[in-house]
Amino acid sequence: MKHSFCLASGVGLFIGASFVLSAAAFAGSGDPSAVDWSKVPTKEIKLFWPGQATYQWLRSPEHKRADLQTKEGQACVACHKGEEEEIGNKLVVEHDLEPMPVDGKNGVINLKFQVAYDKDDAYFRFQWKTLNNYPGWAHPYYRYDGKKWKAYGFPKLDAVVQDGKQPGIYEDRMSMMIDDGKVENYAKQGCWITCHNGERDSPDRPTADEVKANALFKALKKKDVRKYLPSTRTDEEASWDKGKTPEEIAKIKAAGGFLDLMQWRGHRSNPVGMSDDFYVLEYRNSDAGKNPFGSNKDKKTKLPKYMYDEKVFGSKSVREEDIRKMETALIREKNAVPFDPNADWKEGDMIPKYVVSREDSKGSAADNNRSKGVWKDGMWTVVWARKLGLTNPDDKALKEGGVYTFSFATHDDNITTRGHHVSFPMSIGFGVKADIEATKLN
Ligand code: HEC
């Protein structure tokens, strides 16, 4: 398994610039694209549109004849087994649980999933059809309007897109959320324990000022609410604003009471052969270190930090008509140079809002450094390796002999936050009986 991990294909305008990571970068570690996937069984998983079915809604009388059972910890599939299509198609159009339906959205996505492992790594392969006849590798940009560089392109649940003031532009993603049995109810109720009123694009959303005034969010230095676990709140409703103290939360983390959450990203990680690495506890936190992407805004000048290196990329910026035809990621170590405010900018020139870097990623946040997706004939195929036996305090260590609860989600067609298609939770065993058993490779 000591093949080099090659990123040469499909890189649009990187003409002449060879974009191949050296074999040495992966010395001693497995290449997920070298696995013989034809020998690994494929599981079909239905991902469905969840609307605004939050933790609080599921425990309210509106979840008819099911609120008490859900509170008691009954599994969703105890009542909803095989109903993914029915629920997804019901919630994707106008519904009490969907106040912002997205035009033309599909209720269900069929995911083909494979999992294998050897003595060093777990290997995952995902395949799904995109709604659009292009891959979601574009992401919001700064666009020059003749005078200023302004944010351009937003996710499709945003009012500016639904009102036609901005185009829907957002990367595709594939996410995995994992527990090793330490988070109460996750095995039975999956990602719905992380999804709460008050979060972005959810009901009862507080203002940024309200969030900043809250003790927990002040300590976190955050101004919005994202996924969290009920164990980090003090009330039975698990309200966003009833956070435990940082000391109590640190104890839960030390005892392993968090979920691993990692995302392969079509714009912000795939171009450098990576996925990100986060965990869910009192917030959706990044693992320690640095993820493969960061803001491309200079805090002082409010202008972009980097533009494309014309010698490598072919131009200093892109135009809207190009972004569906080629990868436009701004890669710090490959195709980026410091932004020049005095270059001959024309109205409509665009530069990515994020800068991506494999070299700058580090620590536990950079663990997923072998993932690669290729889009062909309307379908993404993503392969992904993850080390077994990680010892970071913000990771769930996958091991032979272990069984884990996994949930999957994909963001498709220019969308973020809850605008994903999700799975019910399932168990995956590495050499152990489970809903899905990972294939052992020799
Ligand atoms: C005790 C059985 C039971 C459990 C457990 C349960 N549900 Fe339900 N759920 C129902 C019933 C009954 C309805 C109402 C269906 C209807 O009105 O047609 C419903 C409705 C829903 C709806 C609204 C869409 C629809 O079909 O009306 C969603 C979404 C939903 N449930 C998600 C979940 C999730 C997620 C879980 C796990 C956290 C869960 N349910 C657990 C029985 C259950």
Side-chain angles (χ1 to χ4, degrees):
M1 294 290 290
K2 286 200 177 98
H3 306 229
S4 76
F5 187 60
C6 174
L7 299 175
S9 62
V11 192
L13 267 191
F14 295 111
I15 301 156
S18 91
F19 191 59
V20 178
L21 298 171
S22 71
F26 296 108
S29 37
D31 175 351
S33 45
V35 170
D36 183 355
W37 289 107
S38 70
K39 301 229 161 67
V40 179
T42 300
K43 179 91 177 173
E44 305 258 347
I45 298 170
K46 286 220 186 295
L47 305 176
F48 62 98
W49 187 260
Q52 291 186 335
T54 59
Y55 183 89
Q56 287 73 24
W57 182 88
L58 289 159
R59 282 160 184 73
S60 75
E62 286 164 74
H63 190 195
K64 290 192 189 76
R65 300 184 298 283
D67 49 329
L68 299 178
Q69 291 89 330
T70 304
K71 271 188 200 159
E72 283 166 4
Q74 195 161 335
C76 310
V77 292
C79 304
H80 292 297
K81 195 176 170 105
E83 289 184 359
E84 290 93 339
E85 235 163 289
E86 191 184 323
I87 298 178
N89 290 332
K90 196 162 164 182
L91 300 191
V92 78
V93 289
E94 183 92 51
H95 187 280
D96 290 347
L97 288 173
E98 186 46 88
M100 302 279 279
V102 174
D103 272 354
K105 192 56 122 179
N106 42 341
V108 188
I109 290 178
N110 293 311
L111 174 70
K112 287 194 163 87
F113 173 71
Q114 292 164 281
V115 53
Y117 69 106
D118 61 19
K119 64 184 188 1
D120 298 316
D121 293 287
Y123 303 97
F124 305 94
R125 185 170 185 249
F126 304 90
Q127 293 185 293
W128 73 100
K129 285 212 164 92
T130 55
L131 185 64
N132 299 309
N133 62 358
Y134 58 80
W137 55 22
H139 201 64
Y141 297 84
Y142 293 117
R143 180 182 179 279
Y144 189 63
D145 70 359
K147 291 197 187 91
K148 282 192 166 155
W149 290 88
K150 289 194 180 146
Y152 189 74
F154 287 79
K156 284 194 170 179
L157 282 174
D158 282 19
V160 282
V161 179
Q162 299 210 348
D163 296 347
K165 294 186 186 123
Q166 285 275 344
I169 302 175
Y170 219 83
E171 67 188 349
D172 288 347
R173 283 179 270 166
M174 175 52 65
S175 311
M176 302 195 247
M177 196 147 67
I178 308 172
D179 183 41
D180 54 1
K182 302 227 172 87
V183 174
E184 198 185 353
N185 282 339
Y186 183 69
K188 291 178 282 184
Q189 302 186 341
C191 58
W192 286 274
I193 66 167
T194 71
C195 173
H196 300 272
N197 288 357
E199 291 176 12
R200 296 179 297 167
D201 291 316
S202 298
D204 306 330
R205 194 178 165 187
T207 64
D209 285 341
E210 285 168 332
V211 176
K212 284 193 280 188
N214 180 271
L216 172 61
F217 287 82
K218 207 180 270 175
L220 288 170
K221 299 197 180 72
K222 300 289 184 192
K223 54 180 195 284
D224 61 14
V225 183
R226 301 193 188 182
K227 286 191 183 62
Y228 61 83
L229 296 181
S231 61
T232 63
R233 298 307 197 261
T234 55
D235 63 333
E236 208 197 322
E237 277 276 287
S239 311
W240 75 265
D241 58 345
K242 300 286 191 310
K244 289 187 178 167
T245 63
E247 295 72 31
E248 289 170 300
I249 290 166
K251 275 192 203 147
I252 301 172
K253 184 178 173 193
F258 61 88
L259 300 171
D260 225 327
L261 170 59
M262 34 207 148
Q263 306 192 54
W264 168 90
R265 297 166 177 268
H267 181 94
R268 288 183 288 177
S269 74
N270 191 50
V272 292
M274 296 183 70
S275 294
D276 71 22
D277 203 346
F278 282 71
Y279 68 99
V280 179
L281 182 57
E282 81 283 27
Y283 192 76
R284 190 201 67 172
N285 298 301
S286 173
D287 282 12
K290 191 179 177 319
N291 275 298
F293 59 92
S295 166
N296 184 31
K297 185 176 192 169
D298 185 313
K299 283 203 180 99
K300 273 195 223 122
T301 62
K302 313 277 184 219
L303 291 168
K305 243 192 284 189
Y306 296 99
M307 61 185 186
Y308 300 107
D309 181 348
E310 199 168 3
K311 292 197 288 293
V312 180
F313 191 75
S315 58
K316 292 189 187 65
S317 57
V318 281
R319 307 286 298 182
E320 186 163 8
E321 55 272 25
D322 298 326
I323 64 173
R324 303 303 185 190
K325 295 183 200 143
M326 64 190 207
E327 276 194 2
T328 59
L330 188 55
I331 303 171
R332 209 269 304 141
E333 61 270 26
K334 293 285 174 194
N335 65 3
V337 290
F339 178 74
D340 173 7
N342 302 316
D344 180 23
W345 299 113
K346 301 207 169 42
E347 185 184 347
D349 286 346
M350 309 202 304
I351 293 175
K353 272 179 96 171
Y354 289 84
V355 59
V356 183
S357 176
R358 183 181 183 88
E359 280 182 9
D360 298 347
S361 67
K362 55 176 184 282
S364 183
D367 284 333
N368 291 310
N369 59 2
R370 286 165 291 147
S371 7
K372 187 65 192 167
V374 173
W375 187 88
K376 193 165 176 279
D377 301 333
M379 185 161 79
W380 275 115
T381 298
V382 173
V383 291
W384 183 337
R386 181 161 175 85
K387 272 228 144 327
L388 298 182
L390 286 168
T391 54
N392 307 313
D394 43 26
D395 285 324
K396 295 278 161 169
L398 302 176
K399 288 184 186 140
E400 177 155 41
V403 60
Y404 307 87
T405 302
F406 276 69
S407 306
F408 303 102
T410 186
H411 286 88
D412 178 49
D413 180 26
N414 304 291
I415 206 139
T416 187
T417 64
R418 67 172 181 84
H420 48 6
H421 295 79
V422 302
S423 76
F424 285 127
M426 64 203 76
S427 62
I428 298 186
F430 293 83
V432 185
K433 283 251 165 295
D435 296 336
I436 302 176
E437 287 158 37
T439 300
K440 183 156 193 187
L441 304 170
N442 302 310

